Amino acid sequence: MDKRLVSERFPRSSKYNPEWLIASASGGANSLWLTEWLTEALDLRPGMRVLDLGCGRASSSIFLRREFGVQVWATDLWFSLTENFQRIRDAGVQDGVFPIHADARSLPFAAEFFDAIVCIDCFPYYGTDDLYLSYLAGFVKPGGPIGIAGAGLVHEIEDSVPGHLQRWWTQDLWCLHSAAWWRRHWERTGIIDIDLADTMPDGWQLWLDWHRVVAPDNEVEIKAVEADRGRWLGYVRLVGRRNSQAELADHIESLPAQYTKKPLPRIEE
């Protein structure tokens, strides 16, 4: 038996073929490990409608359908809709996983359509916007959960980037934050009641294990994680429920045109 990507920590994920996992990779983390970790804090039941936002190549969506019997809208902007449909069909879950091509800031769904929303290793790319949570929360039913899991920081980098991370660190990595930062970012809005915000124990090791298998030539990142050993880098998780009493701001996409012609120069008396 191929023992790659087998982890006692994640028994559900360990049932999946490593070749399938590697072929389904869409980012810098094992999406099944993160999805399994996140779902430990979610009460998912068969038939629930779930938005898998930023699903990449839809491996997390397939996992959610197979493991929990939920209906999943596998939504992504960057990856091929056709390829995702083929992967979904080959996994035998086309009856419950529906691939959608959409931008996270322009979602084609009705208000309160979903019972739950999950985001695996993608939320920092758009969710740091102070206004975004109000927009996203409108798509989940009051009391419904929103959960995110992915790469982050053990604690915030307040000053310069630590020396052992500088060769790897790029400007876009400033979107990474700690679980405490995410809790504060969501909690202060009053939109979400936080269930938990934490850091995966030894998440840095799983980060390293994944890269050694899926991207062994990524020497810069591997050396950075090896040198860091969980001092700064890790996986973070946040789960909250939409506060049914909170008022969400209106999402304005455009204003109606109402032009009235007026004289341009000031008229002198």
Side-chain angles (χ1 to χ4, degrees):
M1 179 181 175
D2 191 334
K3 295 294 185 181
R4 289 177 300 166
L5 306 178
V6 171
S7 172
E8 293 182 1
R9 175 73 175 78
F10 302 111
R12 290 179 184 264
S13 303
S14 296
K15 297 182 297 184
Y16 290 77
N17 189 311
E19 293 295 340
W20 182 83
L21 280 170
I22 294 168
S24 303
S26 55
N30 184 322
S31 61
L32 296 200
W33 286 346
L34 292 179
T35 305
E36 186 167 350
W37 184 45
L38 182 60
T39 53
E40 291 170 0
L42 298 173
D43 181 22
L44 297 181
R45 298 181 300 279
M48 291 178 68
R49 291 197 294 262
V50 177
L51 170 59
D52 186 2
L53 184 58
C55 68
R57 290 194 167 95
S59 57
S60 54
S61 303
I62 292 167
F63 179 87
L64 289 166
R65 176 62 177 173
R66 286 173 55 91
E67 300 297 323
F68 299 98
V70 295
Q71 299 180 76
V72 188
W73 277 255
T75 304
D76 199 88
L77 177 64
W78 293 346
F79 289 89
S80 167
L81 199 63
T82 298
E83 179 191 341
N84 279 358
F85 176 69
Q86 291 171 333
R87 184 173 292 104
I88 290 163
R89 182 186 57 198
D90 288 346
V93 293
Q94 67 270 26
D95 62 331
V97 180
F98 314 111
I100 302 292
H101 181 262
D103 191 313
R105 298 176 183 274
S106 185
L107 295 172
F109 305 114
E112 302 181 3
F113 180 76
F114 294 103
D115 298 295
I117 297 174
V118 301
C119 305
I120 303 300
D121 205 34
C122 63
F123 198 76
Y125 294 113
Y126 45 84
T128 56
D129 183 337
D130 288 338
L131 303 179
Y132 186 71
L133 184 62
S134 178
Y135 170 68
L136 182 63
F139 295 104
V140 71
K141 297 175 181 177
I146 300 175
I148 68 174
L153 301 177
V154 176
H155 41 258
E156 292 297 301
I157 298 175
E158 301 294 349
D159 299 311
S160 60
V161 177
H164 65 282
L165 297 179
Q166 287 183 358
R167 186 180 172 209
W168 170 66
W169 195 271
T170 53
Q171 289 301 317
D172 58 314
L173 292 176
W174 286 110
C175 71
L176 298 182
H177 290 288
S178 64
W181 188 94
W182 283 111
R183 172 188 281 275
R184 184 170 59 253
H185 187 61
W186 282 16
E187 210 165 35
R188 65 185 180 179
T189 67
I191 294 169
I192 297 291
D193 298 321
I194 304 298
D195 289 346
L196 66 83
D198 62 359
T199 305
M200 183 188 292
D202 293 331
W204 70 273
Q205 185 64 63
L206 291 173
W207 186 331
L208 191 59
D209 292 344
W210 171 250
H211 272 271
R212 283 172 172 167
V213 171
V214 77
D217 295 332
N218 189 357
E219 179 184 346
V220 173
E221 184 164 347
I222 288 174
K223 286 189 173 182
V225 178
E226 284 177 335
D228 186 71
R229 298 187 63 82
R231 284 178 287 170
W232 297 94
L233 303 178
Y235 291 137
V236 300
R237 173 177 62 171
L238 183 69
V239 176
R241 297 182 179 275
R242 178 181 165 184
N243 185 331
S244 59
Q245 303 302 315
E247 293 187 13
L248 303 181
D250 292 335
H251 179 64
I252 300 174
E253 295 184 349
S254 64
L255 295 174
Q258 190 175 1
Y259 175 70
T260 302
K261 185 177 180 180
K262 298 290 184 180
L264 181 61
R266 183 183 294 273
I267 299 175
E268 297 182 359
E269 295 182 0

